[in-house]
Coordinates of all heavy atoms in Angstrom, one line a residue:
M1 N 7.7 -5.4 9.5 CA 8.2 -6.8 9.2 C 7.8 -7.7 10.4 O 8.0 -7.4 11.6 CB 9.7 -6.8 9.1 CG 10.2 -6.2 7.7 SD 9.9 -7.3 6.4 CE 11.6 -7.8 6.0
A2 N 7.3 -8.8 10.1 CA 7.0 -9.9 11.1 C 8.0 -11.0 11.0 O 8.4 -11.3 9.9 CB 5.5 -10.4 10.8
W3 N 8.3 -11.5 12.1 CA 9.2 -12.6 12.2 C 8.5 -13.9 12.5 O 7.8 -14.0 13.5 CB 10.3 -12.3 13.2 CG 11.2 -13.4 13.6 CD1 11.1 -14.2 14.7 CD2 12.3 -14.0 12.9 NE1 12.0 -15.2 14.7 CE2 12.8 -15.1 13.6 CE3 12.9 -13.7 11.6 CZ2 13.9 -15.8 13.2 CZ3 13.9 -14.4 11.2 CH2 14.4 -15.5 12.0
C4 N 8.7 -14.9 11.7 CA 8.1 -16.2 12.0 C 9.1 -17.1 12.6 O 10.1 -17.5 11.9 CB 7.5 -16.9 10.7 SG 6.8 -18.5 11.1
P5 N 9.0 -17.5 13.9 CA 10.0 -18.3 14.6 C 10.0 -19.7 14.1 O 11.1 -20.4 14.1 CB 9.6 -18.2 16.1 CG 8.2 -17.7 16.1 CD 7.9 -17.0 14.8
A6 N 8.9 -20.2 13.6 CA 8.8 -21.6 13.1 C 9.6 -21.8 11.8 O 10.3 -22.8 11.6 CB 7.4 -22.0 13.0
C7 N 9.5 -20.8 11.0 CA 10.1 -20.9 9.6 C 11.5 -20.2 9.7 O 12.2 -20.2 8.7 CB 9.3 -20.2 8.6 SG 7.6 -20.9 8.5
T8 N 11.8 -19.5 10.8 CA 13.0 -18.6 10.9 C 13.2 -17.7 9.7 O 14.2 -17.7 9.0 CB 14.2 -19.4 11.2 OG1 14.5 -20.4 10.1 CG2 14.1 -20.2 12.5
R9 N 12.1 -17.0 9.4 CA 12.2 -16.1 8.2 C 11.3 -14.8 8.5 O 10.4 -14.9 9.2 CB 11.8 -16.7 6.9 CG 10.4 -17.1 6.8 CD 10.0 -17.4 5.4 NE 10.0 -18.8 5.0 CZ 10.1 -19.3 3.8 NH1 10.3 -18.5 2.8 NH2 10.1 -20.6 3.6
Y10 N 11.8 -13.7 7.9 CA 11.0 -12.5 8.0 C 9.9 -12.5 6.9 O 10.1 -13.0 5.8 CB 11.9 -11.3 7.7 CG 12.7 -10.9 9.0 CD1 14.1 -11.1 9.0 CD2 12.1 -10.3 10.1 CE1 14.8 -10.7 10.1 CE2 12.8 -9.9 11.2 CZ 14.2 -10.1 11.2 OH 14.9 -9.8 12.3
L11 N 8.8 -11.9 7.3 CA 7.6 -11.9 6.4 C 7.2 -10.4 6.3 O 7.0 -9.7 7.3 CB 6.5 -12.7 7.0 CG 6.8 -14.2 7.1 CD1 5.8 -14.8 8.1 CD2 6.7 -14.9 5.8
T12 N 7.1 -9.9 5.1 CA 6.6 -8.6 4.8 C 5.1 -8.6 5.1 O 4.5 -9.7 4.9 CB 6.9 -8.1 3.4 OG1 6.3 -9.0 2.5 CG2 8.4 -8.1 3.1
P13 N 4.5 -7.4 5.4 CA 3.1 -7.4 5.6 C 2.3 -7.9 4.4 O 1.2 -8.5 4.6 CB 2.8 -5.9 5.8 CG 4.1 -5.3 6.3 CD 5.2 -6.1 5.6
T14 N 2.8 -7.8 3.2 CA 2.0 -8.2 2.0 C 2.2 -9.8 1.8 O 1.3 -10.4 1.2 CB 2.5 -7.5 0.7 OG1 3.9 -7.5 0.7 CG2 2.0 -6.1 0.7
S15 N 3.2 -10.4 2.4 CA 3.4 -11.8 2.2 C 2.7 -12.6 3.3 O 2.5 -13.8 3.2 CB 4.9 -12.2 2.2 OG 5.5 -12.0 3.5
L16 N 2.2 -11.8 4.4 CA 1.4 -12.5 5.4 C 0.0 -12.7 4.8 O -0.4 -12.1 3.9 CB 1.3 -11.6 6.6 CG 2.4 -11.5 7.6 CD1 2.1 -10.5 8.7 CD2 2.6 -12.9 8.3
R17 N -0.7 -13.7 5.4 CA -2.1 -13.9 5.0 C -2.9 -12.7 5.7 O -2.5 -12.1 6.6 CB -2.6 -15.2 5.5 CG -2.0 -16.4 4.8 CD -2.7 -17.6 5.1 NE -2.2 -18.7 4.3 CZ -2.5 -20.0 4.5 NH1 -3.3 -20.3 5.5 NH2 -2.0 -20.9 3.8
T18 N -4.1 -12.6 5.1 CA -5.0 -11.4 5.6 C -5.3 -11.6 7.1 O -5.6 -10.6 7.7 CB -6.3 -11.4 4.8 OG1 -6.9 -12.6 4.7 CG2 -6.0 -10.8 3.4
D19 N -5.3 -12.8 7.6 CA -5.6 -13.0 9.1 C -4.4 -12.9 9.9 O -4.4 -13.2 11.1 CB -6.4 -14.2 9.3 CG -5.7 -15.5 8.8 OD1 -4.6 -15.3 8.2 OD2 -6.2 -16.6 9.1
G20 N -3.2 -12.5 9.4 CA -2.0 -12.4 10.2 C -1.3 -13.6 10.4 O -0.4 -13.7 11.2
T21 N -1.6 -14.7 9.7 CA -0.8 -16.0 9.8 C 0.2 -16.1 8.7 O 0.2 -15.5 7.7 CB -1.8 -17.2 9.7 OG1 -2.5 -17.1 8.5 CG2 -2.8 -17.2 10.9
C22 N 1.2 -16.9 9.1 CA 2.3 -17.2 8.1 C 1.8 -18.1 7.0 O 1.1 -19.1 7.2 CB 3.4 -17.9 8.9 SG 4.8 -18.6 7.9
P23 N 2.1 -17.8 5.7 CA 1.6 -18.6 4.6 C 2.3 -19.9 4.5 O 1.8 -20.8 3.8 CB 1.9 -17.7 3.4 CG 3.0 -16.8 3.8 CD 2.9 -16.6 5.3
Y24 N 3.4 -20.1 5.2 CA 4.2 -21.4 5.1 C 3.7 -22.4 6.2 O 3.6 -23.6 5.9 CB 5.7 -21.1 5.2 CG 6.1 -20.1 4.2 CD1 6.3 -18.7 4.5 CD2 6.3 -20.4 2.8 CE1 6.7 -17.8 3.6 CE2 6.7 -19.5 1.9 CZ 6.9 -18.2 2.3 OH 7.2 -17.3 1.3
C25 N 3.6 -21.9 7.4 CA 3.3 -22.9 8.5 C 2.0 -22.6 9.2 O 1.5 -23.3 10.0 CB 4.4 -22.8 9.6 SG 4.5 -21.3 10.4
E26 N 1.3 -21.5 8.7 CA -0.1 -21.2 9.2 C -0.1 -20.8 10.7 O -1.1 -20.9 11.3 CB -1.1 -22.3 8.8 CG -1.1 -22.5 7.3 CD -2.2 -23.5 6.9 OE1 -2.8 -24.1 7.8 OE2 -2.4 -23.6 5.7
Q27 N 1.0 -20.4 11.2 CA 1.1 -20.0 12.6 C 0.7 -18.5 12.6 O 1.1 -17.8 11.7 CB 2.5 -20.2 13.1 CG 2.6 -21.1 14.3 CD 3.9 -21.2 14.9 OE1 4.2 -22.1 15.6 NE2 4.8 -20.2 14.7
V28 N 0.2 -18.0 13.7 CA -0.1 -16.6 13.8 C 1.2 -15.9 14.1 O 1.9 -16.2 15.0 CB -1.1 -16.3 15.0 CG1 -1.3 -14.8 15.2 CG2 -2.4 -17.0 14.8
V29 N 1.4 -14.9 13.2 CA 2.7 -14.1 13.3 C 2.3 -12.7 13.7 O 2.9 -12.1 14.6 CB 3.4 -14.1 12.0 CG1 4.7 -13.3 12.1 CG2 3.8 -15.6 11.6
D30 N 1.3 -12.1 13.1 CA 0.9 -10.7 13.4 C -0.4 -10.8 14.2 O -1.5 -11.0 13.8 CB 0.6 -10.0 12.0 CG 0.3 -8.5 12.2 OD1 0.0 -8.1 13.4 OD2 0.5 -7.8 11.3
Y31 N -0.1 -10.7 15.6 CA -1.2 -10.8 16.5 C -2.2 -9.7 16.4 O -3.4 -9.9 16.7 CB -0.7 -11.0 17.9 CG -0.1 -12.4 18.1 CD1 1.3 -12.6 18.0 CD2 -0.9 -13.4 18.5 CE1 1.8 -13.8 18.1 CE2 -0.4 -14.7 18.6 CZ 1.0 -14.9 18.5 OH 1.5 -16.1 18.6
S32 N -1.7 -8.4 16.2 CA -2.6 -7.3 16.1 C -3.6 -7.4 15.0 O -4.8 -7.1 15.1 CB -1.8 -6.0 16.0 OG -1.1 -6.0 14.8
R33 N -3.1 -8.0 13.9 CA -3.9 -8.1 12.7 C -5.0 -9.3 12.9 O -6.1 -9.2 12.6 CB -3.1 -8.4 11.4 CG -3.9 -8.2 10.2 CD -3.3 -8.8 8.9 NE -2.1 -8.1 8.5 CZ -1.6 -8.3 7.3 NH1 -2.2 -9.1 6.4 NH2 -0.5 -7.7 6.9
Q34 N -4.5 -10.3 13.6 CA -5.4 -11.5 13.8 C -6.5 -11.0 14.8 O -7.6 -11.4 14.6 CB -4.6 -12.6 14.5 CG -5.3 -13.9 14.5 CD -5.2 -14.7 15.7 OE1 -4.8 -14.2 16.8 NE2 -5.5 -16.0 15.7
R35 N -6.2 -10.1 15.8 CA -7.2 -9.6 16.7 C -8.2 -8.8 16.0 O -9.4 -8.9 16.2 CB -6.5 -8.8 17.8 CG -7.3 -8.7 19.1 CD -6.4 -8.3 20.2 NE -5.6 -7.1 20.0 CZ -4.3 -7.1 20.0 NH1 -3.6 -8.1 20.4 NH2 -3.6 -5.9 19.8
K36 N -7.7 -8.0 15.0 CA -8.7 -7.2 14.2 C -9.6 -8.1 13.4 O -10.8 -7.8 13.3 CB -7.9 -6.3 13.3 CG -7.4 -5.0 13.9 CD -6.7 -4.2 12.8 CE -5.7 -3.2 13.5 NZ -4.7 -2.7 12.5
V37 N -9.1 -9.1 12.8 CA -9.9 -10.1 12.0 C -10.9 -10.7 12.9 O -12.1 -10.9 12.5 CB -9.0 -11.1 11.3 CG1 -9.8 -12.2 10.7 CG2 -8.2 -10.4 10.2
E38 N -10.5 -11.1 14.1 CA -11.4 -11.8 15.0 C -12.5 -10.9 15.5 O -13.7 -11.3 15.6 CB -10.6 -12.4 16.2 CG -10.0 -13.7 15.9 CD -9.2 -14.3 17.0 OE1 -9.0 -13.6 18.0 OE2 -8.8 -15.5 16.9
Q39 N -12.1 -9.6 15.7 CA -13.1 -8.7 16.2 C -14.1 -8.4 15.1 O -15.3 -8.3 15.3 CB -12.5 -7.3 16.6 CG -11.8 -7.4 17.9 CD -10.9 -6.2 18.2 OE1 -10.7 -5.4 17.3 NE2 -10.5 -6.1 19.4
A40 N -13.7 -8.3 13.8 CA -14.5 -8.1 12.7 C -15.5 -9.3 12.5 O -16.6 -9.2 12.2 CB -13.7 -7.9 11.4
K41 N -14.9 -10.5 12.7 CA -15.7 -11.8 12.6 C -16.8 -11.8 13.7 O -17.9 -12.2 13.4 CB -14.8 -13.0 12.7 CG -14.3 -13.5 11.4 CD -13.5 -14.8 11.6 CE -12.8 -15.2 10.3 NZ -11.7 -16.1 10.6
A42 N -16.4 -11.3 14.9 CA -17.4 -11.3 16.0 C -18.6 -10.3 15.7 O -19.7 -10.6 16.1 CB -16.7 -10.8 17.3
R43 N -18.3 -9.3 14.9 CA -19.3 -8.4 14.5 C -20.0 -8.9 13.2 O -21.0 -8.2 12.7 CB -18.7 -7.0 14.2 CG -18.3 -6.2 15.5 CD -18.0 -4.8 15.2 NE -17.1 -4.6 14.1 CZ -15.8 -4.4 14.3 NH1 -15.3 -4.4 15.5 NH2 -14.9 -4.2 13.3
G44 N -19.6 -10.0 12.7 CA -20.2 -10.5 11.5 C -19.7 -9.8 10.2 O -20.4 -9.8 9.2
E45 N -18.5 -9.2 10.3 CA -18.0 -8.5 9.1 C -16.8 -9.3 8.6 O -16.2 -10.0 9.2 CB -17.6 -7.1 9.5 CG -18.6 -6.2 10.0 CD -18.1 -4.9 10.6 OE1 -16.9 -4.8 10.6 OE2 -18.9 -4.2 11.2
E46 N -16.6 -9.0 7.3 CA -15.4 -9.5 6.7 C -14.4 -8.4 6.5 O -14.7 -7.3 6.0 CB -15.7 -10.1 5.3 CG -14.7 -11.0 4.7 CD -14.6 -12.4 5.3 OE1 -15.7 -12.9 5.7 OE2 -13.5 -12.9 5.5
L47 N -13.2 -8.6 7.1 CA -12.2 -7.5 7.1 C -11.5 -7.5 5.8 O -10.9 -8.5 5.4 CB -11.2 -7.8 8.2 CG -10.3 -6.6 8.6 CD1 -11.0 -5.5 9.3 CD2 -9.1 -7.1 9.4
E48 N -11.6 -6.4 5.1 CA -10.9 -6.3 3.8 C -9.4 -6.0 4.1 O -9.0 -5.5 5.1 CB -11.5 -5.1 3.0 CG -11.1 -3.7 3.4 CD -12.1 -3.1 4.4 OE1 -12.7 -3.9 5.1 OE2 -12.2 -1.9 4.4
E49 N -8.6 -6.4 3.1 CA -7.2 -6.3 3.3 C -6.7 -4.9 3.2 O -7.1 -4.2 2.3 CB -6.5 -7.1 2.2 CG -5.0 -7.3 2.5 CD -4.3 -8.4 1.6 OE1 -5.0 -9.0 0.8 OE2 -3.1 -8.6 1.7
V50 N -6.0 -4.4 4.2 CA -5.6 -3.0 4.3 C -4.1 -3.0 3.9 O -3.3 -3.5 4.6 CB -5.8 -2.4 5.7 CG1 -5.3 -1.0 5.7 CG2 -7.3 -2.6 6.1
V51 N -3.9 -2.4 2.7 CA -2.5 -2.2 2.3 C -2.2 -0.7 2.3 O -2.7 0.0 1.5 CB -2.3 -2.8 0.8 CG1 -0.8 -2.6 0.4 CG2 -2.7 -4.2 0.8
P52 N -1.4 -0.3 3.3 CA -1.2 1.1 3.4 C -0.3 1.7 2.2 O 0.6 1.0 1.7 CB -0.4 1.3 4.7 CG 0.2 -0.1 4.9 CD -0.7 -1.1 4.3
V53 N -0.7 2.9 1.7 CA 0.0 3.5 0.6 C 1.2 4.2 1.2 O 1.1 5.0 2.1 CB -0.9 4.5 -0.1 CG1 -0.1 5.2 -1.2 CG2 -2.1 3.9 -0.6
P54 N 2.4 3.8 0.8 CA 3.6 4.5 1.3 C 3.7 6.0 1.0 O 3.2 6.4 -0.1 CB 4.8 3.7 0.6 CG 4.2 3.1 -0.6 CD 2.7 2.9 -0.3
W55 N 4.3 6.8 1.9 CA 4.3 8.2 1.7 C 5.0 8.7 0.4 O 4.6 9.6 -0.2 CB 4.9 8.9 2.9 CG 6.3 8.6 3.1 CD1 6.9 7.6 3.8 CD2 7.4 9.4 2.5 NE1 8.3 7.7 3.7 CE2 8.6 8.7 2.9 CE3 7.5 10.5 1.6 CZ2 9.9 9.2 2.4 CZ3 8.7 10.9 1.2 CH2 9.9 10.3 1.6
H56 N 6.0 7.9 0.0 CA 6.8 8.4 -1.2 C 6.0 8.1 -2.4 O 6.2 8.8 -3.4 CB 8.1 7.7 -1.2 CG 8.1 6.2 -1.2 ND1 8.3 5.5 0.0 CD2 7.8 5.3 -2.1 CE1 8.2 4.2 -0.3 NE2 7.9 4.0 -1.5
F57 N 5.0 7.2 -2.4 CA 4.1 7.0 -3.5 C 3.2 8.1 -3.7 O 2.9 8.6 -4.8 CB 3.4 5.6 -3.4 CG 2.5 5.3 -4.5 CD1 3.0 4.9 -5.7 CD2 1.1 5.5 -4.4 CE1 2.2 4.6 -6.8 CE2 0.3 5.2 -5.5 CZ 0.8 4.8 -6.7
K58 N 2.6 8.6 -2.5 CA 1.8 9.8 -2.5 C 2.5 11.0 -3.1 O 2.0 11.7 -3.9 CB 1.2 10.1 -1.1 CG 0.2 9.1 -0.6 CD -0.2 9.4 0.8 CE -1.1 8.3 1.3 NZ -1.3 8.5 2.8
L59 N 3.7 11.1 -2.6 CA 4.6 12.3 -3.1 C 4.8 12.2 -4.6 O 4.7 13.2 -5.3 CB 5.9 12.2 -2.3 CG 6.8 13.4 -2.5 CD1 6.3 14.7 -1.8 CD2 8.2 13.1 -2.0
L60 N 5.0 11.0 -5.1 CA 5.2 10.8 -6.5 C 4.0 11.2 -7.3 O 4.1 11.8 -8.3 CB 5.6 9.3 -6.8 CG 6.0 9.0 -8.2 CD1 7.4 9.6 -8.5 CD2 6.0 7.5 -8.4
M61 N 2.8 10.8 -6.7 CA 1.6 11.1 -7.4 C 1.3 12.6 -7.4 O 1.0 13.2 -8.5 CB 0.4 10.4 -6.6 CG 0.3 8.9 -6.8 SD 0.4 8.3 -8.5 CE -1.2 8.9 -9.0
V62 N 1.6 13.3 -6.3 CA 1.5 14.8 -6.2 C 2.4 15.4 -7.2 O 2.0 16.3 -8.0 CB 1.7 15.3 -4.8 CG1 1.8 16.8 -4.8 CG2 0.6 14.8 -3.9
A63 N 3.7 14.9 -7.3 CA 4.7 15.5 -8.2 C 4.2 15.3 -9.6 O 4.4 16.2 -10.5 CB 6.0 14.8 -7.9
T64 N 3.7 14.2 -10.0 CA 3.2 13.9 -11.3 C 2.1 14.8 -11.7 O 2.1 15.3 -12.8 CB 2.8 12.4 -11.4 OG1 3.8 11.6 -11.0 CG2 2.4 12.0 -12.8
V65 N 1.1 15.0 -10.8 CA 0.0 15.9 -11.1 C 0.5 17.3 -11.3 O 0.0 18.0 -12.2 CB -1.0 15.8 -9.9 CG1 -2.1 16.9 -10.0 CG2 -1.7 14.4 -9.9
V66 N 1.4 17.8 -10.4 CA 1.9 19.1 -10.6 C 2.6 19.3 -11.9 O 2.5 20.3 -12.6 CB 2.9 19.4 -9.4 CG1 3.6 20.7 -9.6 CG2 2.1 19.6 -8.1
Y67 N 3.5 18.3 -12.3 CA 4.2 18.3 -13.5 C 3.3 18.4 -14.7 O 3.5 19.2 -15.6 CB 5.2 17.1 -13.5 CG 6.0 17.1 -14.8 CD1 7.0 18.0 -15.1 CD2 5.6 16.1 -15.8 CE1 7.7 17.9 -16.3 CE2 6.3 16.0 -17.0 CZ 7.4 16.9 -17.2 OH 8.1 16.9 -18.4
L68 N 2.3 17.5 -14.7 CA 1.4 17.4 -15.8 C 0.6 18.7 -15.9 O 0.3 19.2 -17.0 CB 0.5 16.2 -15.7 CG 1.1 14.9 -15.9 CD1 0.1 13.7 -15.7 CD2 1.7 14.7 -17.3
G69 N 0.2 19.3 -14.8 CA -0.5 20.5 -14.8 C 0.3 21.6 -15.4 O -0.2 22.5 -16.2
W70 N 1.6 21.6 -15.0 CA 2.6 22.7 -15.6 C 2.7 22.5 -17.1 O 2.7 23.5 -17.8 CB 3.9 22.5 -14.8 CG 4.9 23.5 -15.2 CD1 4.9 24.8 -15.2 CD2 6.2 23.1 -15.8 NE1 6.1 25.4 -15.7 CE2 6.9 24.3 -16.1 CE3 6.9 21.9 -16.1 CZ2 8.2 24.4 -16.6 CZ3 8.2 22.0 -16.6 CH2 8.8 23.2 -16.9
R71 N 2.9 21.2 -17.5 CA 3.0 21.0 -19.0 C 1.8 21.4 -19.7 O 1.8 21.9 -20.8 CB 3.3 19.5 -19.2 CG 4.6 19.0 -18.6 CD 5.8 19.6 -19.2 NE 6.0 19.3 -20.7 CZ 6.9 19.8 -21.5 NH1 7.8 20.6 -21.0 NH2 6.9 19.4 -22.8
A72 N 0.6 21.1 -19.1 CA -0.7 21.5 -19.7 C -0.8 23.0 -19.9 O -1.2 23.5 -20.9 CB -1.8 20.9 -18.9
A73 N -0.4 23.7 -18.8 CA -0.4 25.2 -18.9 C 0.6 25.7 -20.0 O 0.2 26.6 -20.7 CB 0.0 25.7 -17.5
Q74 N 1.7 25.0 -20.1 CA 2.7 25.4 -21.2 C 2.1 25.2 -22.5 O 2.2 26.0 -23.5 CB 3.9 24.6 -21.0 CG 5.0 25.2 -20.1 CD 6.3 24.5 -20.2 OE1 6.4 23.3 -20.6 NE2 7.4 25.2 -19.9
G75 N 1.3 24.0 -22.7 CA 0.7 23.7 -23.9 C -0.3 24.7 -24.3 O -0.4 25.1 -25.5
V76 N -1.1 25.1 -23.3 CA -2.2 26.1 -23.6 C -1.6 27.4 -24.0 O -2.0 28.1 -25.0 CB -3.1 26.3 -22.3 CG1 -4.0 27.5 -22.5 CG2 -3.9 25.0 -22.1
E77 N -0.5 27.8 -23.3 CA 0.3 29.0 -23.7 C 0.8 29.0 -25.1 O 0.7 30.0 -25.8 CB 1.4 29.2 -22.7 CG 1.9 30.6 -22.4 CD 3.0 30.7 -21.4 OE1 2.8 30.1 -20.3 OE2 4.0 31.3 -21.7
W78 N 1.3 27.8 -25.5 CA 1.9 27.6 -26.8 C 0.8 27.8 -27.9 O 1.0 28.5 -28.9 CB 2.5 26.2 -26.9 CG 3.2 26.0 -28.2 CD1 4.5 26.3 -28.5 CD2 2.7 25.3 -29.4 NE1 4.8 25.9 -29.8 CE2 3.7 25.3 -30.4 CE3 1.4 24.8 -29.7 CZ2 3.5 24.8 -31.6 CZ3 1.2 24.3 -30.9 CH2 2.2 24.2 -31.9
L79 N -0.4 27.1 -27.6 CA -1.5 27.2 -28.5 C -2.0 28.7 -28.7 O -2.2 29.2 -29.8 CB -2.6 26.4 -28.0 CG -2.5 24.8 -28.2 CD1 -3.6 24.1 -27.5 CD2 -2.5 24.5 -29.7
A80 N -2.1 29.4 -27.5 CA -2.5 30.7 -27.5 C -1.6 31.6 -28.3 O -2.0 32.5 -29.0 CB -2.6 31.3 -26.1
H81 N -0.2 31.3 -28.2 CA 0.8 32.1 -28.9 C 0.7 31.9 -30.4 O 0.9 32.8 -31.2 CB 2.1 31.7 -28.3 CG 3.3 32.5 -28.9 ND1 3.5 33.8 -28.4 CD2 4.2 32.2 -29.8 CE1 4.5 34.3 -29.1 NE2 5.0 33.4 -29.9
H82 N 0.4 30.6 -30.8 CA 0.4 30.3 -32.2 C -0.9 30.5 -33.0 O -0.9 30.8 -34.1 CB 0.9 28.8 -32.4 CG 2.4 28.7 -32.3 ND1 3.2 28.6 -33.3 CD2 3.1 28.5 -31.2 CE1 4.5 28.5 -32.9 NE2 4.4 28.4 -31.6
F83 N -2.0 30.4 -32.2 CA -3.3 30.6 -32.9 C -4.1 31.7 -32.3 O -5.2 31.9 -32.7 CB -4.1 29.3 -32.7 CG -3.4 28.0 -33.3 CD1 -2.8 27.1 -32.5 CD2 -3.4 27.8 -34.7 CE1 -2.1 26.0 -33.0 CE2 -2.8 26.7 -35.2 CZ -2.1 25.8 -34.4
G84 N -3.5 32.5 -31.4 CA -4.2 33.5 -30.7 C -4.1 34.8 -31.5 O -3.4 35.0 -32.4
Ligands
ZN101 ZN1 6.0 -19.8 9.4

């Protein structure tokens, strides 16, 4: 969470602009991100927006894949039992 002293409000990483500035007053709030953008610009690159995937989302994806795999195995077993 970044804090904007000019607007006296907290800003989530996704509500910040890609260059680390506040979307309301355009002040730099996230200096580390702004530095990265400036370094990329110095190299002549455009920094793509990095949105980190939360660990619980990855866990959910893994759980979904495992569950679907298990259901698929059950389905195959059912088919083998009825048509085998
Ligand atoms: Zn602001």
Side-chain angles (χ1 to χ4, degrees):
M1 283 288 250
W3 166 258
C4 179
C7 304
T8 60
R9 68 165 97 200
Y10 280 109
L11 298 159
T12 59
T14 46
S15 70
L16 281 175
R17 289 191 178 171
T18 49
D19 59 354
T21 56
C22 171
Y24 306 100
C25 65
E26 300 185 354
Q27 242 187 200
V28 177
V29 181
D30 190 339
Y31 286 94
S32 64
R33 199 196 287 197
Q34 197 220 18
R35 203 160 52 239
K36 277 182 205 161
V37 169
E38 279 180 350
Q39 281 169 352
K41 269 185 190 162
R43 290 196 302 267
E45 298 168 4
E46 196 73 39
L47 194 74
E48 75 271 27
E49 194 167 358
V50 180
V51 181
V53 180
W55 67 268
H56 54 263
F57 181 74
K58 285 179 190 168
L59 187 71
L60 188 74
M61 289 308 289
V62 170
T64 305
V65 168
V66 169
Y67 176 73
L68 289 176
W70 179 59
R71 296 296 296 177
Q74 274 194 332
V76 169
E77 206 178 309
W78 185 87
L79 284 173
H81 185 77
H82 283 264
F83 301 103

